[in-house]
Amino acid sequence: MVRHLVTALTVLMAASASAQQSGRYMPVSDVKPGMQGLCRTVVTGTKIESIPIEVVGLIRGMRPGQTMILVRLKGPLIEKYRVAQGMSGSPIYINGRIVGALAFSWPFTNEALAGLTPIEDMLKLGANGQNAGRSDAVDLGASLVDPVARTDRWFERVETARPDDRNRVFEQLPLPFCVNGFTPEGLRELSRRMPGSRLSMLQGGGLGANVEDVQGLKLEPGSSVCIEVVRGDLSAYGIGTVTDVIGDRVLAMGHPMTNGGSVNLLMSTGYVQATVSRQDVSFKLGSPVKPVGTVLADENTGVMGRLGAIPKDRKSTRLNSS
């Protein structure tokens, strides 16, 4: 009798969770051209802006097994920056429901057209049971130049596209990847060893003394998130945007950082010092603020992390509740 009661309660709870989820998200099958919505992202600091969007259409089969939602972003902020690196993962809302994450665009566009990774694909992140992660300690030693050779294992090597190819390919937004503490020679060498990488190498920096207190920041849909590969005197981190937070589970980016699969990387809140306007693709320049969890999955449709534990010396250490 007790067993049947527990089973019935479990079914009811699952049905309730499914109903709540269906109200929170919009499936691709419900998306129609002409629908209006909002993109939530940070342009400067920590303030989450709401940018109007319009659905242009659906592109099926552009990538194997994936449907892409094509949208047009509008408004004064977009007229200045168009679709910027670092906006990857920005959630798109239609009728108050998340439909997907901004993840793709073209360089040198006259208007802000972007491709979305559907939220229903991102909800599957980390579903292979590999979310225990792996710790991959990085020791760059004392030299600012020699350790660059060791970073080959972090990044996928792909052939560099010709300039005319880039104008035709609807491509994943490169991820701003800030490197601090390297000499100019070290930064040039690191960039040289990463031809065609989907990471956009930038020379970054710390928050500085004049920034308001941001220690109370939390990850929420539209906020900036930093994925830290190296932390210390030398640091290296990617900057993206949170798509959604489900309990302690964080979905972000809408595309991979390095497509590393099961990973164990430090996840921190982020601060955007500026969004730099460029003719080809603008980019966000930012810094990590406070570690809040661990990225456990780096897959084709985005990254997934969990709040409350950070990787340390091949073990997970609980964060102080303060």
Side-chain angles (χ1 to χ4, degrees):
M1 179 68 178
V2 174
R3 184 176 63 185
H4 292 314
L5 180 59
V6 171
T7 302
L9 287 173
T10 302
V11 171
L12 285 172
M13 290 173 64
S16 175
S18 177
Q20 291 177 7
Q21 190 179 88
S22 65
R24 184 178 179 84
Y25 306 117
M26 178 178 287
V28 171
S29 57
D30 290 351
V31 178
K32 309 296 180 188
M35 282 183 161
Q36 307 290 317
L38 293 172
C39 169
R40 288 171 58 82
T41 197
V42 174
V43 176
T44 305
T46 61
K47 181 183 177 183
I48 299 175
E49 307 279 359
S50 293
I51 299 170
I53 69 98
E54 178 182 0
V55 176
V56 175
L58 301 178
I59 306 176
R60 302 185 188 277
M62 175 172 282
R63 296 195 173 212
Q66 288 188 6
T67 294
M68 197 174 298
I69 305 167
L70 186 64
V71 300
R72 178 181 291 110
L73 287 77
K74 301 179 286 188
L77 287 173
I78 288 302
E79 289 176 5
K80 181 176 182 180
Y81 299 113
R82 299 185 308 282
V83 181
Q85 298 173 10
M87 289 177 69
S88 295
S90 299
I92 305 295
Y93 290 80
I94 296 176
N95 297 331
R97 301 163 70 189
I98 300 177
V99 65
L102 190 151
F104 302 89
S105 189
W106 286 278
F108 297 105
T109 56
N110 292 324
E111 59 178 336
L113 288 173
L116 312 183
T117 297
I119 187 64
E120 56 202 277
D121 293 339
M122 294 185 67
L123 290 170
K124 303 171 186 175
L125 285 166
N128 293 328
Q130 303 280 333
N131 60 2
R134 73 167 182 272
S135 182
D136 199 1
V138 178
D139 179 11
L140 292 183
S143 168
L144 298 183
V145 178
D146 292 345
V148 172
R150 306 183 194 178
T151 63
D152 287 346
R153 60 196 168 95
W154 298 345
F155 311 111
E156 176 187 0
R157 283 184 173 272
V158 292
E159 184 180 350
T160 304
R162 297 189 303 272
D164 58 330
D165 288 338
R166 294 186 70 238
N167 293 339
R168 293 194 297 266
V169 176
F170 194 50
E171 62 181 21
Q172 170 186 313
L173 269 172
L175 195 72
F177 192 76
C178 293
V179 178
N180 309 330
F182 281 72
T183 63
E185 293 80 6
L187 185 61
R188 282 195 292 270
E189 178 66 11
L190 184 58
S191 299
R192 187 185 69 80
R193 290 175 179 270
M194 296 168 55
S197 169
R198 296 183 180 92
L199 301 179
S200 178
M201 299 294 297
L202 302 172
Q203 192 162 26
L207 282 174
N210 297 323
V211 176
E212 71 270 20
D213 183 14
V214 292
Q215 296 305 309
L217 270 179
K218 63 179 183 179
L219 297 183
E220 58 182 310
S223 66
S224 294
V225 60
C226 290
I227 301 177
E228 301 191 58
V229 175
V230 183
R231 183 179 177 87
D233 292 338
L234 303 179
S235 63
Y237 51 89
I239 303 171
T241 304
V242 175
T243 306
D244 198 17
V245 180
I246 310 162
D248 68 345
R249 192 163 172 253
V250 178
L251 307 179
M253 304 294 185
H255 60 63
M257 186 169 86
T258 64
N259 218 5
S262 178
V263 296
N264 195 6
L265 299 172
L266 188 62
M267 179 171 63
S268 300
T269 54
Y271 183 93
V272 178
Q273 280 107 341
T275 298
V276 181
S277 179
R278 288 169 52 101
Q279 289 185 343
D280 53 357
V281 183
S282 301
F283 63 87
K284 293 183 183 183
L285 183 65
S287 301
V289 177
K290 183 179 180 180
V292 292
T294 303
V295 172
L296 297 170
D298 178 7
E299 301 175 10
N300 193 43
T301 57
V303 301
M304 185 277 289
R306 291 198 181 274
L307 299 168
I310 59 175
K312 182 180 180 181
D313 297 332
R314 301 184 181 274
K315 297 179 182 179
S316 289
T317 302
R318 296 300 303 177
L319 289 171
N320 191 322
S321 58
S322 60

